[in-house]
Structure formats: C-alpha cells, structure tokens
Amino acid sequence: MSKLEQFLRSRLAAAIAAVLAGLIVSGIVLAAAGFNPFEAFSVLMQGAFGRPKYIANVIIKATPILLTGVAVSFAFKTGLFNIGAEGQYILGTVFAALVGITCNLPMVFEIPLVILAGTLGGATLGAFIGWLKAKFGVHEVITSIMCNWIAFYLCNFIVMSDAFHKPNSSSAVITNPSCWTVLLPEWKKSKEGMAALSNIPWLKEMLLKTDLNIGIIVAIIVAIVISIVLNRSKLGYELRAVGFNNDASKFAGIPVKRNIILSMLISGGICGLAGALNITGISPHTVTLLAAMENYGFNGLSVAFIAGCSPLGCIPSSILFASLLYGGMSVQQMLGAPSEIISIVIGTIVFFTALPGITPKLADLVAKKNKPQGPPTVSKDGTPLPTAEKEA
C-alpha cells in the first residue's frame, strides 16, 4: 500500500476533505450572494489569527467546545449518544456559580472546590441519564434532550431567585474573585506587571485585552487522559466492549449496567467541567438569564464528529471550529456578508464528515491505478490467448 493510499484511508484525510468541501460550498454561496469568496476567507483568517488578542479569544472560545467534544466522543466510543452535553454544561455552570458565590476560601482551596462542584453537576445529570437507560431501557437521546431543557430552566430559576439574583440585572451575584482562573489577574495590572509586559507587546495584548485563562491547558490534559483511558486501560476496554455488544459483554462477565451509568457519568462530568471553567475563567464569572441555549454542548457535537470522535482529534477540531465562529464575525462586520455563511461552512463540514466513504474510494482508485498489470489474456481480435499454465 502506497503512502498516498494510506493517507487517503486515514481519518485525517476524511477531516481535511470535509473542511475543503465546506469551504468550497460556502465560497459558491458567497459568490452567488455577490461577495468575493477569497476576500471573505482572507478576512475570516485575519479576524481569527490577525492579532494576538484574536488568537487568545479563539483559544478561549475553543476551550468549552473542546471539552464538550471530548465528552461526546467518549460517550460515542462506548456506544452512547450524549446529545445532552448542553444541559450538562449548563448544570456545571450553575453548580460552580453557587459554590463560588457561597464560599470564599483561599484561592488554593476555592478554585478546586468550584471546579469540582461544576464537574459534579454535569456528572450528576449524566449519571441520571445513564441510570434511566440501564434500569429502564430509556434511550439516552430522549432523556438527554429533555434534561437539556430542565437544566436550562433550572438555571433561569436560580438566577432570578431572591437568594442569588443581582439587583437591576439579568444575572446572579458574581462569584468571589478567589475562584477566578484568569492568568495573572493582579500582577498584569500592577506597575511591575505593566512595566514587564511593555517589553512584550503581543503578550501584553493577550493578557490585558482578553480573559485568557488556564482552561485550555486543563482541556488538553483531559483530552489526553480520556484518550489513554479509552485505548490503554482495562476500564476503557470494558466500556468500549459494552458499547460494541451488550450481550457478549454480559456473557464475558462485564457489568453492563454499571458501565453504562459510568460512561454517562464521565461524559457528563467533562461537560460540567467545561461549564465550571467558563465561570472561573471568563467575565462576568457567574450565570446569567438564558434566552436561548448557549450551544457549547451542541457545538461540541460538531467538534466530535469532525474529529471522527477521537478525543485527541477534538483538539485541532475545536480550534478550527472556534476560529470559524470568531473569525466569522469579522466577515459580517467588514464585508457585510450574512452571519449564516459561517453556519453553512460548519454545517457542510459536518455533513461531509458524515460521509466517511469518500476518501477510501479515492484510495481504491489510487490502488487500482498503481496495481501492476499482468500479461494480456485476449488478443486484439478477441481470441483467448493461452496462459503460461496451459503452455506448460
């Protein structure tokens, strides 16, 4: 098998083909709408990576969808479709905000406590969905969709409650600063910090003009750990086995029901972690009244499928997704192109990702082309020629 054929059969080739297809389709739509697609894509790239603060904002936007993407990928690899990542994310923000508001411990205790609370919030909802499936056979897609709305309205109820509502606003009381995970919050605004950063303009812009925080580091570590657990541990083997075949797993002595609940618990916990990191790392550091879903969980679905449900693949996939979302605003502002163009790009990419057989077919064509041709078996006039075996 040639290197080209190997590449065309890989997940990376399928992802690249999907991205290119999405860009081509969106380019056609832009041209049909009267916009120069090359100019639009140039503006998009400049809007995403043209300045240090743009890069920082792309990283910030990528953090929660990387985590929800890893959560969806983990559940999918274990035979479950966690479409409730949005609700688990919301519950993570609620739990983290409540603990961040009511507790004011030293930072070394407060930050882990708030992050743990958010993780437990998402894990609780995920485990409940898994329990319903394991105990009563209720499909996780149905229960997780319903739980999305339960979490949505629970968040709004808490925001507007007398105990947590901030007067004359649409948000809850701000969490205590001791739980914030923004990078160097006090130092970067001090005289010493300003003097040091003045010698490094790009770092100054990233730190002072954005809420750059530790979230992306945590998210990458989680993606690596989940990949190791899935592929190199006994637990991961059991979870994947249950997802592949319940009956065979039960026959082999693997506790099927326990693993279904555990899988959804872990997936929900990762979504809750995403919510907690947004509370601790991004202003206004609290939950607000929701008029619609924030789409961190639903965007995580797209990130997971673009990555082929590979936890490690979610890292570049989330950066791509975040750059499209953030850079797309520049296309709208500078060219006047409709914001729906970015949705078309993303939708087309996900659509072509769902067609995994395209690049393998190209690989088959390459293999057929490179296959050595044997001696002819028929003459020019159609008369069969004697084979070497018959001649012998």
Side-chain angles (χ1 to χ4, degrees):
M1 184 183 296
S2 67
K3 290 184 178 180
L4 177 58
E5 187 181 350
Q6 289 178 346
F7 173 73
L8 290 174
R9 295 187 186 279
S10 67
R11 289 178 179 175
L12 178 60
I16 292 174
V19 172
L20 291 177
L23 294 176
I24 291 170
V25 170
S26 59
I28 294 172
V29 173
L30 279 166
F35 299 96
N36 185 333
F38 298 102
E39 183 182 5
F41 292 142
S42 175
V43 169
L44 189 150
M45 294 302 295
Q46 285 294 320
F49 304 107
R51 294 183 58 179
K53 71 174 183 178
Y54 297 163
I55 297 173
N57 282 325
V58 167
I59 291 172
I60 292 168
K61 188 173 282 291
T63 299
I65 58 177
L66 167 55
L67 285 168
T68 53
V70 170
V72 172
S73 298
F74 177 82
F76 193 83
K77 289 289 188 182
T78 59
L80 298 168
F81 188 22
N82 184 12
I83 202 172
E86 182 74 18
Q88 294 147 25
Y89 165 85
I90 293 173
L91 211 60
T93 63
V94 171
F95 274 52
L98 292 180
V99 173
I101 292 168
T102 55
C103 298
N104 190 14
L105 303 173
M107 185 174 289
V108 67
F109 300 112
E110 181 82 356
I111 291 176
L113 182 63
V114 171
I115 291 177
L116 178 61
T119 304
L120 288 176
T124 301
L125 188 56
F128 174 68
I129 295 168
W131 177 76
L132 289 175
K133 181 178 179 68
K135 184 71 174 177
F136 304 106
V138 184
H139 202 285
E140 70 276 8
V141 169
I142 298 173
T143 52
S144 57
I145 289 175
M146 294 299 100
C147 285
N148 283 343
W149 291 106
I150 293 172
F152 178 93
Y153 288 112
L154 176 63
C155 176
N156 286 352
F157 172 78
I158 290 174
V159 169
M160 299 307 295
S161 65
D162 293 336
F164 298 103
H165 180 63
K166 183 180 179 181
N168 302 318
S169 74
S170 60
S171 67
V173 179
I174 296 175
T175 56
N176 291 298
S178 57
C179 75
W180 297 356
T181 56
V182 180
L183 290 178
L184 307 171
E186 300 298 331
W187 177 82
K188 66 183 181 182
K189 295 180 181 178
S190 65
K191 291 182 179 180
E192 296 80 5
M194 293 290 287
L197 290 173
S198 62
N199 298 322
I200 317 174
W202 64 269
L203 185 59
K204 180 180 179 180
E205 184 174 345
M206 292 181 79
L207 290 180
L208 291 178
K209 296 186 178 182
T210 70
D211 286 330
L212 192 63
N213 56 77
I214 65 171
I216 191 63
I217 300 172
V218 176
I220 291 173
I221 292 173
V222 169
I224 294 171
V225 170
I226 290 298
S227 180
I228 293 172
V229 169
L230 274 175
N231 300 305
R232 298 183 180 275
S233 72
K234 177 185 175 183
L235 173 63
Y237 173 80
E238 289 186 353
L239 291 173
R240 286 186 291 113
V242 169
F244 185 74
N245 192 316
N246 279 357
D247 295 331
S249 299
K250 189 182 296 183
F251 182 78
I254 298 174
V256 172
K257 292 183 178 180
R258 188 198 71 181
N259 280 311
I260 290 174
I261 298 172
L262 182 60
S263 175
M264 285 302 297
L265 182 147
I266 294 173
S267 181
I270 298 170
C271 295
L273 173 62
L277 289 173
N278 261 14
I279 292 296
T280 62
I282 302 176
S283 181
H285 302 285
T286 189
V287 285
T288 58
L289 195 66
L290 298 175
M293 296 288 186
E294 295 182 288
N295 285 332
Y296 286 113
F298 294 124
N299 288 342
L301 287 170
S302 300
V303 164
F305 290 133
I306 292 172
C309 287
S310 164
L312 292 180
C314 287
I315 298 174
S317 177
S318 63
I319 296 295
L320 168 67
F321 202 94
S323 63
L324 289 173
L325 291 174
Y326 189 77
M329 295 187 296
S330 298
V331 177
Q332 184 181 14
Q333 293 169 0
M334 298 183 67
L335 299 182
S339 59
E340 288 78 11
I341 291 295
I342 300 304
S343 299
I344 291 173
V345 175
I346 294 169
T348 309
I349 290 172
V350 175
F351 173 78
F352 279 98
T353 303
L355 301 174
I358 294 177
T359 50
K361 286 184 179 179
L362 292 176
D364 292 338
L365 291 175
V366 171
K368 186 177 180 180
K369 183 179 179 181
N370 294 335
K371 187 177 180 180
Q373 300 294 327
T377 58
V378 180
S379 64
K380 292 182 179 180
D381 60 359
T383 304
L385 295 175
T387 61
E389 184 178 349
K390 288 181 179 179
E391 291 176 353

